[in-house]
Amino acid sequence: MHRPHVPGCAAIKFRSLGSAARSGAESEARAKMAAAKPTLTDSLSFCLAQLAAAAGEALGGEKDPATNETPLSRALLALRTRHIKAAGGIERFRARGGLRPLLALLRRAAAAGSAPSQAGPGSAPSSAASAASSPAPASGPAPSAVSSSSPTPPVRLRKTLDLALSILADCCTEGACRTEVRRLGGILPLGAVPLLVESLTACQDSQCLQSVVRALRNLADSPQHRLALAQQGAVRPLAELLATAPDAALTLALIRALLELSRGCSRACAEQLSLGGGLGPLVSLASHPKRAVREGTILILANLCAQGLIRPALGNAGGVEVLVDELRQRRDPNGASPTSQQPLVRAVCLLCREAINRARLRDAGGLDLLMGLLRDPRASAWHPRIVAALVGFLYDTGALGRLQALGLVPLLAGQLCGEAGEEEEEGREAASWDFPEERTPERAQGGSFRSLRSWLISEGYATGPDDISPDWSPEQCPPEPMEPASPAPTPTSLRAPRTQRTPGRSPAAAIEEPWGREGPALLLLSRFSQAPDPSGALVTGPALYGLLTYVTGAPGPPSPRALRILSRLTCNPACLEAFVRSYGAALLRAWLVLGVAPDDWPAPRARPTLHSRHRELGERLLQNLTVQAESPFGVGALTHLLLSGSPEDRVACALTLPFICRKPSLWRRLLLEQGGLRLLLAALTRPAPHPLFLFFAADSLSCLQDLVSPTVSPAVPQAVPMDLDSPSPCLYEPLLGPAPVPAPDLHFLLDSGLQLPAQRAASATASPFFRALLSGSFAEAQMDLVPLRGLSPGAAWPVLHHLHGCRGCGAALGPVPPPGQPLLGSEAEEALEAAGRFLLPGLEEELEEAVGRIHLGPQGGPESVGEVFRLGRPRLAAHCARWTLGSEQCPRKRGLALVGLVEAAGEEAGPLTEALLAVVMGIELGARVPA
């Protein structure tokens, strides 16, 4: 039976197996050859010929009387000591075709020595039948690894096999040779494992034991080989030797061997190591003064954690404290690199799967350590594994309290809205050993689910492993579909996605839920939300942000658990004040009902949305808060916040009330009678307490306006009608023609030198200013050319029209710039100033109406609102407030407009406050409003 290939470490393996066997005989032969004269063995051709002849014929041959050696032995020794060692010797040996006869010679030697009576220290290869019946990896001999009482094969055969193995080992240090050996079919499994295992118990010599241990270590070069070695009993004697190792060299050899054998630790390896009493010595060696022993021991303990069956015993032996302390040291700024922490992180997380080890880990400070890893962005690749491990503490009240105090909730929320990777898959053997009866055939399941299976059964959620779906996970309360507060039917999208009836279980408990990468984080958050007062941890900006990001950003229907968490929080009276203080209610409305997330403000960001589903969810959650707010407890809590809370709490309460209060007696008393509305308006020009504060405020004022006047639109100041499509006849234009009728008896002289015709009587009648100027005792009364200072032609144009009786002829639109251009410093501002200076209130209204039509009409936008407000005209300020709070505006434009108003108002908040107050209350600006 042939091996399919020779592994890359074949050279090391063969050299370890053959080194001790050939050492004595080879040194003697080398001394003889060094003293001899040049012989035929100096020729590579001669040596290859002898090798080819031996491969095809007998292994022996007649001895040379002079050297007492056969030609084959001489040729092999020359190849080993001269030709292979020379520069380029391995390449020449391969190029001349030496590997084929060498492998054939090894096969013949193995066959010749396969009889049981020939087994002994030296080569002892197994028979073909024995090799085929066991999966033992290819190995070389362990010459001094067997007791002296073993039967001895012929010395010549042993020497031939030793030299051939040594040559092959040296050749396999070259990659091309390894490739050629694989192409030629490899070598037979030599079946030395049973002899090596026997040697571990029979031999007492330290050097001999080290050789055997090294041989076993070299054989453990692949998962298949490690499993085969463990199944053949190679691990237990190593573990037994560990407690009685006579010297440091043997201890180091044992640690190195066990480290190789425990990689990807198999069940057989863990069982043998435990039966051999190796756990105690390993834990003791973790503090060994020699670094190689100490680090190797730590890695062995970490490897053993992959087997659930050994983790309880490992914890009892003190392994939990050892691994936690080592990971803490490596986490130190001066400790090892992050890469070296990976096996320890994995081991500590696996230790969280058994109750006894969780208690030890908690007492050893492991929770603080895991939380430090969760906070470390450099450890982000391990975060899913850590969160899944923390699920084991789901019903450990003390641990949960500690985790919450360390800030677990915002970190879990960050997991929901981040791009964390999937938890690394673990095998069945890593499942919790709290319930060994779980070890039954089952379909493939995710690693996270395995980690939860133990407490699923312990808490009575399942009667056995076959009763658990991979997509199911427990809640303290049965996972019910979310029912709406109103009689409207429940949206299908908010129900559990699929149900499956399990025999012996109620339909409510059989509801399955998707279990993706967010499953462990949601389960922990759900557990926190079941506390009597979860407000301090979950009703915060980061936690709500994470939950809403997940709910609105999930590619498919979000987990019903996330929806239940939000519903549970909004239905808990203890959370009402937290929702108010943190602007949580406003965030729910903005994100879910209005579709504006914090990342979408002020500039929108393209994202896929399912707005109808989100709107239904948001309205339901706000309705839950309304029920709490209008209860006797809620009324008292809101009243206390508004009247006795901190300034920040009072503003937050005033802003939130229109979203969650529908009783007129409540919101009128708190917002109007007790000053909540003025408190909110006065806070607009202060530093924003929330990134979306002005958006929330615009929405809150708009909602309050609807509450005050639900059916009747607010009263607005009457303006002079201006129909742009059919303007009124112009009365001033007849004075401008070549034959004016009637003829002008007066001209106004502008600073630019332009003379504008006018009628003295009409001008004096239109304004007290011009009546005194043109008909009184001033010199202008006797002048035919009256100067008008500080007026440009564009600003004077609407003044002249108004003096001659034009109302609505369109002249007022002339000086108004188009949207997007500034109004401050424009001819429109100049005309408004002139209208006030000349005591023309009608013209002021007409010009203000023209500005509003152009900048706050269909062509205008939110950016125009602040520009209009900067003109400082009270009526225009009211117009801006009406535009901002108008029900026809989309929420985003409304918020942007309020931002513009606040920027335009600057530190002078009075005009803005009065304008918004008048519009919200539905009264004309200038009338008396509530104090």
Side-chain angles (χ1 to χ4, degrees):
M1 181 178 178
H2 293 275
R3 285 188 66 196
H5 69 278
V6 174
C9 60
I12 302 175
K13 183 188 311 177
F14 295 147
R15 190 174 292 115
S16 294
L17 296 174
S19 60
R22 66 173 180 264
S23 57
E26 186 177 314
S27 60
E28 180 182 356
R30 188 180 295 111
K32 292 180 180 180
M33 292 183 66
K37 297 179 180 181
T39 62
L40 292 174
T41 56
D42 293 339
S43 169
L44 179 60
S45 299
F46 172 80
C47 295
L48 291 176
Q50 293 297 320
L51 187 62
E57 300 175 1
L59 290 175
E62 296 298 328
K63 290 184 177 181
D64 186 337
T67 62
N68 197 30
E69 295 284 347
T70 64
L72 175 61
S73 297
R74 294 166 58 198
L76 289 174
L77 188 58
L79 286 171
R80 171 72 181 87
T81 59
R82 298 179 186 174
H83 300 292
I84 297 299
K85 294 294 186 182
I90 295 177
E91 182 180 359
R92 284 194 297 272
F93 181 78
R94 173 178 53 80
R96 296 283 294 275
L99 287 174
R100 183 183 294 275
L102 181 64
L103 291 172
L105 176 64
L106 282 170
R107 295 188 185 101
R108 293 202 63 191
S114 61
S117 61
Q118 295 176 335
S123 60
S126 68
S127 66
S130 174
S133 64
S134 85
S139 66
S144 55
V146 189
S147 65
S148 57
S149 61
S150 300
T152 305
V155 175
R156 186 183 307 168
L157 177 61
R158 184 181 65 187
K159 182 177 181 180
T160 298
L161 188 57
D162 287 344
L163 290 172
L165 279 174
S166 180
I167 294 169
L168 181 60
D170 284 336
C171 289
C172 284
T173 60
E174 184 193 58
C177 280
R178 292 195 294 271
T179 302
E180 180 70 8
V181 169
R182 284 194 293 268
R183 190 183 67 81
L184 293 174
I187 63 171
L188 284 172
L190 302 181
V193 175
L195 293 174
L196 295 174
V197 173
E198 181 184 353
S199 302
L200 289 175
T201 58
C203 184
Q204 301 297 322
D205 179 67
S206 177
Q207 293 293 330
C208 174
L209 288 173
Q210 291 179 48
S211 297
V212 176
V213 171
R214 279 196 299 269
L216 290 173
R217 187 192 77 215
N218 290 332
L219 291 173
D221 66 338
S222 69
Q224 296 82 5
H225 293 170
R226 288 191 285 272
L227 179 61
L229 286 168
Q231 290 175 341
Q232 294 182 75
V235 178
R236 181 168 182 173
L238 294 175
E240 292 171 345
L241 274 175
L242 198 61
T244 60
D247 54 60
L250 180 57
T251 298
L252 178 59
L254 289 168
I255 291 297
R256 294 177 66 186
L258 287 173
L259 178 58
E260 289 297 325
L261 287 165
S262 65
R263 294 187 189 278
C265 185
S266 64
R267 179 187 176 94
C269 176
E271 287 177 336
Q272 288 191 45
L273 198 147
S274 179
L275 293 174
L279 294 181
L282 282 173
V283 171
S284 300
L285 289 172
S287 57
H288 196 276
K290 192 170 184 178
R291 179 178 178 180
V293 174
R294 183 174 65 253
E295 293 185 350
T297 301
I298 293 294
L299 290 177
I300 294 171
L301 294 175
N303 291 342
L304 291 176
C305 291
Q307 282 293 328
L309 67 94
I310 204 172
R311 285 197 298 265
L314 181 61
N316 289 333
V320 173
E321 292 80 2
V322 168
L323 292 171
V324 169
D325 289 343
E326 181 66 19
L327 180 56
R328 184 180 292 110
Q329 293 177 17
R330 298 192 184 189
R331 289 284 299 160
D332 187 80
N334 299 323
S337 64
T339 304
S340 68
Q341 301 171 24
Q342 194 274 338
L344 295 177
V345 173
R346 176 175 178 266
V348 170
C349 290
L350 288 170
L351 287 170
C352 294
R353 296 189 176 185
E354 286 76 36
I356 185 171
N357 288 334
R358 287 197 295 271
R360 293 179 180 276
L361 185 139
R362 181 189 60 203
D363 295 340
L367 295 179
D368 299 62
L369 191 59
L370 292 175
M371 287 298 299
L373 287 165
L374 270 182
R375 285 190 290 265
D376 188 353
R378 297 172 300 175
S380 59
W382 309 330
H383 289 175
R385 177 186 294 278
I386 295 170
V387 172
L390 293 178
V391 172
F393 297 91
L394 200 67
Y395 292 107
D396 186 337
T397 306
L400 285 181
R402 179 61 179 164
L403 290 171
Q404 179 174 327
L406 291 172
L408 177 60
V409 170
L411 294 177
L412 293 175
Q415 292 284 305
L416 295 180
C417 56
E419 296 295 331
E422 295 287 342
E423 180 194 356
E424 183 181 347
E425 183 73 13
E426 296 287 355
R428 292 181 59 238
E429 308 296 341
S432 172
W433 204 249
D434 282 347
F435 301 91
E437 65 271 12
E438 293 183 56
R439 307 181 55 78
T440 56
E442 55 185 318
R443 63 179 184 269
Q445 296 166 343
S448 298
F449 177 73
R450 293 193 193 95
S451 67
L452 305 177
R453 190 163 41 190
S454 60
W455 60 259
L456 285 170
I457 299 174
S458 68
E459 297 296 329
Y461 290 106
T463 58
D466 293 333
D467 197 22
I468 305 171
S469 164
D471 294 329
W472 188 87
S473 54
E475 290 283 348
Q476 191 171 2
C477 55
E480 72 284 356
M482 294 179 60
E483 293 295 337
S486 62
T490 302
T492 305
S493 60
L494 298 182
R495 296 176 182 148
R498 52 187 181 276
T499 59
Q500 172 180 334
R501 184 62 185 269
T502 307
R505 297 182 62 81
S506 65
I511 294 179
E512 295 183 357
E513 298 183 3
W515 183 262
R517 67 171 180 82
E518 73 281 355
L522 282 176
L523 194 56
L524 284 165
L525 289 173
S526 179
R527 182 69 177 89
F528 284 118
S529 73
Q530 294 161 11
D533 184 5
S535 60
L538 277 170
V539 189
T540 62
L544 292 176
Y545 181 86
L547 286 168
L548 293 177
T549 297
Y550 167 72
V551 167
T552 58
S559 169
R561 179 170 289 110
L563 308 182
R564 286 200 301 276
I565 292 172
L566 291 170
S567 179
R568 188 178 295 121
L569 295 175
T570 54
C571 290
N572 191 334
C575 296
L576 176 62
E577 288 191 31
F579 269 105
V580 173
R581 287 192 178 99
S582 65
Y583 295 90
L587 184 65
L588 292 176
R589 175 174 164 84
W591 203 328
L592 298 176
V593 179
L594 304 180
V596 178
D599 293 341
D600 297 332
W601 175 261
R605 190 177 69 173
R607 65 169 72 220
T609 59
L610 298 173
H611 189 60
S612 60
R613 186 180 72 187
H614 299 159
R615 184 182 183 90
E616 293 169 356
L617 172 63
E619 290 174 346
R620 180 169 300 112
L621 296 177
L622 289 173
Q623 180 62 33
N624 293 342
L625 289 174
T626 298
V627 172
Q628 304 304 322
E630 296 179 348
S631 67
F633 170 83
V635 171
L638 294 175
T639 302
H640 173 76
L641 274 180
L642 187 66
L643 298 182
S644 304
S646 67
E648 294 79 8
D649 292 346
R650 297 174 66 196
V651 171
C653 182
L655 184 145
T656 305
L657 280 169
F659 300 141
I660 61 175
C661 288
R662 292 294 179 266
K663 284 185 177 180
S665 59
L666 179 59
W667 61 258
R668 283 186 180 276
R669 175 167 59 85
L670 294 178
L671 290 176
L672 304 183
E673 298 172 12
Q674 297 179 349
L677 176 57
R678 282 193 174 274
L679 194 69
L680 173 59
L681 293 174
L684 294 179
T685 55
R686 300 173 189 164
H690 190 282
L692 287 177
F693 177 74
L694 290 179
F695 179 88
F696 294 160
D699 189 34
S700 176
L701 294 173
S702 178
C703 289
L704 181 59
Q705 182 184 8
D706 292 339
L707 290 175
V708 173
S709 305
T711 56
V712 181
S713 60
V716 296
Q718 295 296 322
V720 178
M722 278 182 74
D723 192 342
L724 299 180
D725 295 328
S726 55
S728 302
C730 182
L731 303 178
Y732 180 62
E733 285 186 357
L735 294 176
L736 302 175
V741 178
D745 57 0
L746 175 69
H747 283 79
F748 289 111
L749 177 64
L750 304 183
D751 293 341
S752 63
L754 180 64
Q755 297 182 16
L756 296 177
Q759 286 286 331
R760 186 180 297 272
S763 300
T765 305
S767 162
F769 174 86
F770 283 100
R771 182 166 57 251
L773 182 69
L774 301 177
S775 303
S777 59
F778 293 101
E780 286 81 359
Q782 308 302 321
M783 299 170 57
D784 294 331
L785 186 62
V786 177
L788 288 182
R789 303 299 182 188
L791 272 185
S792 65
W797 186 254
V799 173
L800 269 294
H801 278 263
H802 190 82
L803 290 177
H804 290 81
C806 291
R807 304 291 185 269
C809 69
L813 298 174
V816 181
Q821 295 186 12
L823 285 169
L824 289 179
S826 67
E827 291 182 340
E829 184 186 24
E830 186 182 347
L832 283 168
E833 187 275 332
R837 176 157 49 99
F838 298 149
L839 304 180
L840 298 171
L843 178 59
E844 286 187 82
E845 293 186 19
E846 193 173 351
L847 287 169
E848 289 172 355
E849 181 68 18
V851 169
R853 284 178 178 269
I854 293 177
H855 284 260
L856 301 179
Q859 302 300 321
E863 64 280 355
S864 299
V865 176
E867 192 66 31
V868 173
F869 186 85
R870 284 186 177 90
L871 291 174
R873 319 292 296 187
R875 277 187 295 266
L876 284 179
H879 201 164
C880 291
R882 286 195 302 274
W883 192 98
T884 299
L885 303 182
S887 58
E888 69 278 2
Q889 303 298 341
C890 75
R892 182 179 298 278
K893 287 185 177 181
R894 185 182 299 131
L896 291 173
L898 185 59
V899 170
L901 285 176
V902 170
E903 292 177 352
E907 297 181 358
E908 296 294 331
L912 176 60
T913 298
E914 296 303 321
L916 291 172
L917 183 62
V919 172
V920 169
M921 298 300 297
I923 57 178
E924 185 174 350
L925 189 64
R928 185 177 180 182
V929 296

